[in-house]
Every structure is written in structure tokens, then in C-alpha cells.
Amino acid sequence: MSEIVQIYRYPVKGLSGNLLEEVDLQVGKGIPFDRAYALAHKEVEFDPNNPQYLSKSNFLMLMRNNNLAQLETTFVDEGEQLIIEKDGETLLDVHLQDENDQKKINKFFEDFMEGKTRGGIKIVMAEGHMFADIPDQNLSIINHDSIVDFEEKTGLSANPLRFRGNIYIKGLGAWNEFDLVGKEFQIGGVHLKAIKRTTRCAATCVNPSTAEIDMNIPLKLRKTYGHDDMGIYADVIQKGTIKLGDQVIV
């Protein structure tokens, strides 16, 4: 039996995720507040009234800014509050829709990045927009069984959070998630369609616990399996609620 073992969202692109117990999903959308905000380099042009897809190179991201993994974040839906901590100390407590607090978060990350930005930092958002790595709004699904197989074949220990997925499942069997691409399936009360495999980038090389670059996962995937994919993207095609323990029905 395959089932959901973890549900995550990442309210601010590049920062740590929040663990959820259940979530309501809408057709053609991702998890509410997932990648709803991003930390853009100040030189980047983004119109919140006409939001367009921008590649991740326009934002702070783990692939180039591994020190972001030093920060632990908590997001509260009510008031869209973001709390940033490091080593148990609260460094910032802001409301992301408040203009004065937006200035605080911009200044915080300009200082945190020690000048390694393109003209500074500005937090960006737009109603209904998602700063995903691909143009569409969808869910990232990671199969724990595939991670276990990867660990057994490489001798590495790979924290599943390296893959920054939304839904983590187990019991499907290693790599069987790839067989879902192009097909419809169900999780709980939600109907989905898998649209593509997820090609991994250098962000997975960053240890989410230490913020160190300690292994080359894309390279290990290519050498071991002949591809650098881990997980799939899926579209919501019928709305509903998913929760921990829900079965995956193919």
C-alpha cells in the first residue's frame, strides 16, 4: 500500500519548508502559499499586476546561496507572518504584506548575503502567482522508496528534504512514480495527473541540516541510473483534500 508520509510547502522560495498535516487543493493550483513569495535581486523586473514566470536565477536560491539553509522559517497563514530563526534565536518576525516589514526583510537578506546580490534584494509576490521552477502551478511528489534505493546503491545518506517536494509517499516501489507520467491517479479525495519527471539541480547538493555542500546528487543519479531525475510533477485535475496517511491509488 502506498501512502502519504509527509506534506510540505515552501512559502518563500529558497527558504525552509513547513510541514502540514492536511491541505485543500484546487484545480490547476499548487499547495496554498507554496512559493507564494520570492527574494528577487533588485535589478530583476517583476510586475505584480502582470506576473510572468521567471527562472530561479532571478532569485536567491539554494543552488547558488547554500547559506540560506542555515535559516529555519515558520509561516503563519493568518496575517502571512514569517518568522526566521537561526540556532534557536529569532532573527526576524514580519508580516509579508506589510510594506514596512517588507523593507525589514529586504534589509535582512541584503545583510545576510553580505553584498552578494545584484543590486540588493526585494521580496516579491503577486495574487495567485507561484514562483515555481517550471511555468505551471503543480505539486512536486517524491517517492521515499526511490530515495532508499538511491541510498542503497550509492552508500550515501540523502535527507529527503534535499528534494524540496510537496508530497512524500512510500510503498509505491522504487522508481515506479515514473510510470505515472501521462496518467491520472488519486490521493485521498484529489485527482491528479503526472506531467513530467523532476530533473534535479545543484540545490540537492546542499545539506538542509548543515547548509554545507556535501554531495553531488545529480552526478550520482546520472552515474547510477543514467538520469538525474528524482520525483515527478503532477497537476490537480479535481479538487479535494489530502492528509497524512492518504493512499495513492493508481
Side-chain angles (χ1 to χ4, degrees):
M1 180 181 71
S2 54
E3 63 179 4
I4 296 179
V5 292
Q6 289 174 312
I7 304 171
Y8 272 90
R9 68 175 176 191
Y10 296 83
V12 181
K13 185 178 182 69
L15 300 186
S16 66
N18 299 151
L19 185 62
L20 306 174
E21 292 187 359
E22 68 176 56
V23 64
D24 295 327
L25 296 172
Q26 301 297 320
V27 174
K29 298 291 184 180
I31 291 177
F33 290 115
D34 188 42
R35 278 86 171 183
Y37 294 86
L39 299 161
H41 294 280
K42 194 166 286 186
E43 67 177 29
V44 173
E45 295 184 7
F46 178 78
D47 182 358
N49 296 312
N50 184 29
Q52 301 294 322
Y53 166 76
L54 294 173
S55 69
K56 57 189 173 184
S57 62
N58 291 286
F59 312 106
L60 293 185
M61 57 175 174
L62 284 176
M63 189 169 77
R64 295 181 179 173
N65 314 115
N66 58 293
N67 59 327
L68 293 174
Q70 297 173 3
L71 304 175
E72 298 177 6
T73 64
T74 300
F75 181 83
V76 182
D77 293 31
E78 184 176 356
E80 298 185 33
Q81 180 185 12
L82 180 72
I83 302 168
I84 299 179
E85 298 178 304
K86 181 181 178 183
D87 300 328
E89 177 187 358
T90 299
L91 304 180
L92 195 68
D93 187 341
V94 293
H95 291 82
L96 295 177
Q97 290 290 336
D98 183 277
E99 290 187 3
N100 289 326
D101 281 0
Q102 289 170 10
K103 294 176 182 177
K104 292 178 183 177
I105 197 168
N106 294 346
K107 178 65 164 55
F108 173 84
F109 280 98
E110 287 170 4
D111 293 342
F112 184 74
M113 296 307 300
E114 298 178 338
K116 297 176 182 177
T117 67
R118 302 200 299 272
I121 292 296
K122 59 181 178 183
I123 190 161
V124 291
M125 76 292 288
E127 185 69 28
H129 187 69
M130 180 180 180
F131 294 96
D133 287 347
I134 61 176
D136 301 322
Q137 294 198 30
N138 44 47
L139 303 174
S140 169
I141 300 177
I142 304 296
N143 183 0
H144 265 277
D145 299 350
S146 299
I147 296 176
V148 170
D149 187 73
F150 171 79
E151 291 178 322
E152 290 175 348
K153 285 184 169 59
T154 63
L156 299 173
S157 178
N159 185 332
L161 294 183
R162 288 178 182 265
F163 303 101
R164 299 177 69 80
N166 296 127
I167 299 174
Y168 290 83
I169 61 176
K170 70 175 182 180
L172 188 64
W175 309 109
N176 287 333
E177 68 274 25
F178 292 164
D179 295 335
L180 296 177
V181 174
K183 299 177 182 177
E184 296 181 11
F185 61 103
Q186 183 177 345
I187 300 179
V190 178
H191 289 256
L192 305 108
K193 183 175 182 178
I195 57 169
K196 64 183 295 185
R197 289 156 58 152
T198 307
T199 300
R200 308 318 313 196
C201 69
T204 58
C205 301
V206 181
N207 187 319
S209 300
T210 66
E212 296 177 352
I213 299 174
D214 59 2
M215 67 178 73
N216 190 331
I217 284 184
L219 179 61
K220 283 290 186 181
L221 283 168
R222 287 194 297 273
K223 286 186 173 181
T224 308
Y225 302 102
H227 62 74
D228 47 5
D229 302 333
M230 178 70 80
I232 56 175
Y233 288 116
D235 289 338
V236 178
I237 58 175
Q238 181 178 312
K239 70 177 183 178
T241 301
I242 61 171
K243 60 184 182 299
L244 296 179
D246 277 352
Q247 293 184 35
V248 180
I249 302 172
V250 180

